[in-house]
Structures are given as C-alpha cells and as structure tokens.
Amino acid sequence: MFDENGKLRNPGGILEEGGVDYAKYLIPWCKGNSVSVDQTTLRHPRDLISMLVENYRSDIYRIDSMSRRRVLDHRCGVTFDDLVRMFGKPLGKGRRGVGTLSFDWVRIERILGQMLLFGDIAILSHSPGGPKDMQRGFRNTLHRGQSKIINNIRTRGSLANSWDEMEICRALEESRDTFGYVRLSEKKGWDLYIRDHYGAPSGVEGAVPGNMAGMSPPGRASTMPLPLHLVYAETMARAMSRDGNVWGKNQSLIRSEISDAVIDGNGVSLPLDDFYIIHSRNGATHMADYTLQRSIGDLAAAAFRLEEVPNSDPKSWVVHIDPDLIRWRENRRDRERVRDSP
C-alpha cells in the first residue's frame, strides 16, 4: 500500500501513476490464505471486520459526496453500541448468570487487541466542546489510554481472558457519551484498499468503479476484485480458535506442496493422481474433491481446473493450478530463503 518512501500510494492500481500492484503480493496472498474453516469459528472475525470495513466505506462515500464537512467521524468506525447490536451484551443475566462474561465478547476483544498490536485499528472518541462544537460535530481525538492498552497487552504476553483484561471494549463502553469508537487505521492503507475494491459512490463527478479518486480509465473493472478483508478475517479466525489449534493449517501445507510440485515441474499443472496423493499424504483425501469444487464458486479461492490429457489411454487428467497461488508460494519461498540466509 506504500511506496519505497513510506508514502501512501494512489488509488486506481495504475503503476505509472503510483497505484498499488495488487497482482504482485495481495491477490496471491488472498489466494493462498483463503481456506475453508468452521463457520462458527469464522463468524466473529468475519462479522467484526466486515462491520469495520463497511462503516469506513460508508463514511468515505459520505465525505466524497459532500462539498462541506469532509471529515471522518464516529460513523466510520464501530462503537460499543454497535457491538451490542451485533453480538449481544458482554455480561450475562438470567440463566447464563449475572455478570457471566460472554465468550463472544472475549473473542471480539482478542481480535481487536491483535489488530491494535498490528496497527490495523485506532481507538478514538469525540472531544466535547461548547454549543457550536455540538452543531459542527465533535473533534476526533485519539483515546488517551491507547498506548497504555498496547503496553498492557505486550506486558501480559497474551490476549484477553477476563472482563478486567478487556481494555478495548471497556474503553468503548466508558466513552459512549463522547462517541468512543474503533476504526481502521489510516496508517495501514485500509482506506486505499476500500477505494480500490468498492469503487466510487454514485453521483461523484469524475470518479469511476474501482477508483474513488477518479484516476482509473473509464469502464475499468474494480481495481482490487478480491475481498481482502474477508480473507484477513478468515486468517484471524484460524489463529484464534477456541481450543487453541490453528484452523486450516493442514490446508495451507497441502497448498504449499501442490504449488511446490508445479513450480518444480512444468510450472502450470500436475497429474490428478499426484493431486490426490498430496491430499492423502496429509490425511485429507476427503478434501481433494471439495478443493476442486470450491474454486468454482468462491472468488477469493485459488482456481483448480481439471483437464483431460488428449489421446491418453487409459484416460488421465491434469489439474491446472491458479497462477496466483503459484505466485503466493514463490513469494513465500523467497521470504524463507531470506530468513535462512546467513
């Protein structure tokens, strides 16, 4: 998302004009990391990150469509009340027991905590002023306790396990009167991804799909077609399963072995028998057919295309592998070589 000088790139994906080269790293990353996981495990990260992205998107649309007050406010993020509407109340009543902490909220806090450590979100609120400030809208202010929360998480060495450790959610609750909220950080380029993935709001002169700033050629499709934020949510879900085991780790291993076989072979495909052998060797024979089928209907999934070998007797088939998945593996291998070098 940033150039070699650390400056945010331009929307539109035109390299000559400073756009993001999504094909080099981010699209391959999506193809390599979008794996099938248990939907219960996936729900909280998916719903939370979708809400963060959708609210940010809506507020970008709002300011792009206005001639005045072009400033993001609490509507671009997620408040404590938003979380209650989505996930229910954090502390139980009745049969669940008064004061019993909902595990849903533990997961929410852990996701937010990890995103805060990564720099993907910021905690903000509106600083109240006089009557004129009430009319114009409050001033966005970084939450005064954000640095302390980050330090506490690092010092503790683990994410939240109790209400006392749920410092982000408690900060949002305590700042409800000043519209305390968390939003995607401008420092990580999320606004640029949103512009390139969703395109422009209707009625904005000069703006076209896939580029809310209007630099992309007319009629061009979305600059970034894949839902990067949903793959990110899947990645978070896999790392934060209830029992501590990483979901989808075996699938990632299988994808790596398939890609390695193609890279070390003809560069585009491998025999169907080898495709099944790799799944079987990793205890996932049942997943081979599902892998082929999933690539048909899931935009973010790597594509695997089955093709009969002409004039083969007995008949045989090869599986053509998504070039973006091959690129994902090549990128990983390059990083592994760098880490292993003296």
Side-chain angles (χ1 to χ4, degrees), residues 207-225:
V208 295
N211 176 16
M212 296 171 72
M215 289 174 57
S216 186
R220 183 186 176 109
S222 174
T223 300
M224 172 52 172

Side-chain angles (χ1 to χ4, degrees), residues 107-119:
R107 298 197 72 208
I108 292 167
E109 178 74 22
R110 289 176 178 177
I111 295 162
L112 292 175
Q114 192 63 72
M115 294 181 75
L116 187 63
L117 290 178
F118 287 161

Side-chain angles (χ1 to χ4, degrees), residues 64 201-208 212-214:
D64 277 6
S202 60
V204 178
E205 185 177 354
V208 295
M212 296 171 72

Side-chain angles (χ1 to χ4, degrees), residues 8-26:
L8 187 67
R9 292 188 178 276
N10 297 322
I14 303 175
L15 298 181
E16 294 77 11
E17 297 183 6
V20 178
D21 184 359
Y22 288 98
K24 188 174 183 179
Y25 294 114
L26 293 176

Side-chain angles (χ1 to χ4, degrees), residues 17-130:
E17 297 183 6
V20 178
D21 184 359
Y22 288 98
K24 188 174 183 179
Y25 294 114
L26 293 176
I27 288 177
W29 183 86
C30 286
K31 296 288 187 176
N33 288 279
S34 176
V35 298
S36 172
V37 297
D38 177 84
Q39 292 302 303
T40 302
T41 300
L42 176 60
R43 182 174 73 86
H44 300 92
R46 180 194 61 205
D47 291 350
L48 177 58
I49 293 175
S50 292
M51 185 161 53
L52 283 165
V53 168
E54 289 297 332
N55 289 357
Y56 202 94
R57 171 197 180 189
S58 296
D59 217 34
I60 291 177
Y61 273 33
R62 177 183 62 82
I63 64 174
D64 277 6
S65 303
M66 297 174 64
S67 58
R68 298 181 180 179
R69 189 58 185 165
R70 298 170 64 88
V71 178
L72 294 170
D73 61 23
H74 67 278
R75 287 172 288 185
C76 77
V78 173
T79 67
F80 183 83
D81 291 332
D82 290 331
L83 294 176
V84 171
R85 281 191 291 270
M86 177 68 75
F87 302 105
K89 294 184 178 181
L91 299 177
K93 296 180 180 179
R95 288 184 302 175
R96 200 171 73 186
V98 177
T100 302
L101 179 60
S102 165
F103 186 75
D104 290 353
W105 279 76
V106 174
R107 298 197 72 208
I108 292 167
E109 178 74 22
R110 289 176 178 177
I111 295 162
L112 292 175
Q114 192 63 72
M115 294 181 75
L116 187 63
L117 290 178
F118 287 161
D120 283 312
I121 60 171
I123 311 172
L124 299 101
S125 63
H126 293 322
S127 297

Side-chain angles (χ1 to χ4, degrees), residues 58-308:
S58 296
D59 217 34
I60 291 177
Y61 273 33
R62 177 183 62 82
I63 64 174
D64 277 6
S65 303
M66 297 174 64
S67 58
R68 298 181 180 179
R69 189 58 185 165
R70 298 170 64 88
V71 178
L72 294 170
D73 61 23
H74 67 278
R75 287 172 288 185
C76 77
V78 173
T79 67
F80 183 83
D81 291 332
D82 290 331
L83 294 176
V84 171
R85 281 191 291 270
M86 177 68 75
F87 302 105
K89 294 184 178 181
L91 299 177
K93 296 180 180 179
R95 288 184 302 175
R96 200 171 73 186
V98 177
T100 302
L101 179 60
S102 165
F103 186 75
D104 290 353
W105 279 76
V106 174
R107 298 197 72 208
I108 292 167
E109 178 74 22
R110 289 176 178 177
I111 295 162
L112 292 175
Q114 192 63 72
M115 294 181 75
L116 187 63
L117 290 178
F118 287 161
D120 283 312
I121 60 171
I123 311 172
L124 299 101
S125 63
H126 293 322
S127 297
K132 291 184 178 179
D133 289 327
M134 292 292 292
Q135 294 172 6
R136 291 195 298 259
F138 290 104
R139 183 175 68 254
N140 287 312
T141 305
L142 190 68
H143 190 276
R144 63 181 181 275
Q146 176 170 298
S147 296
K148 182 179 179 181
I149 292 172
I150 293 173
N151 289 334
N152 287 345
I153 296 174
R154 287 174 174 163
T155 301
R156 193 166 62 238
S158 64
L159 300 174
N161 288 294
S162 66
W163 180 246
D164 289 341
E165 294 177 349
M166 294 176 60
E167 296 176 89
I168 300 174
C169 290
R170 288 196 292 110
L172 295 179
E173 183 182 35
E174 292 163 3
S175 59
R176 292 170 75 183
D177 291 343
T178 54
F179 297 102
Y181 65 101
V182 291
R183 81 171 185 202
L184 293 171
S185 175
E186 294 175 305
K187 295 180 180 180
K188 294 298 288 287
W190 279 102
D191 54 334
L192 178 54
Y193 157 71
I194 288 170
R195 288 174 179 273
D196 281 347
H197 180 61
Y198 290 104
S202 60
V204 178
E205 185 177 354
V208 295
N211 176 16
M212 296 171 72
M215 289 174 57
S216 186
R220 183 186 176 109
S222 174
T223 300
M224 172 52 172
L226 304 189
L228 173 66
H229 62 288
L230 293 181
V231 180
Y232 183 64
E234 290 182 11
T235 305
M236 296 283 281
R238 290 190 289 130
M240 295 186 176
S241 59
R242 182 187 290 262
D243 58 7
N245 294 319
V246 178
W247 287 88
K249 187 175 182 179
N250 202 37
Q251 294 180 48
S252 296
L253 178 60
I254 290 170
R255 289 185 176 193
S256 295
E257 291 188 11
I258 288 174
S259 300
D260 285 341
V262 174
I263 293 170
D264 297 336
N266 62 16
V268 294
S269 65
L270 78 166
L272 179 61
D273 287 346
D274 291 352
F275 185 82
Y276 276 102
I277 288 171
I278 290 173
H279 279 81
S280 177
R281 189 165 60 223
N282 289 281
T285 305
H286 63 289
M287 288 293 297
D289 289 333
Y290 174 78
T291 300
L292 292 171
Q293 290 297 319
R294 180 173 181 257
S295 66
I296 297 174
D298 188 340
L299 179 64
F304 299 93
R305 181 170 57 85
L306 193 62
E307 183 179 86
E308 183 179 338

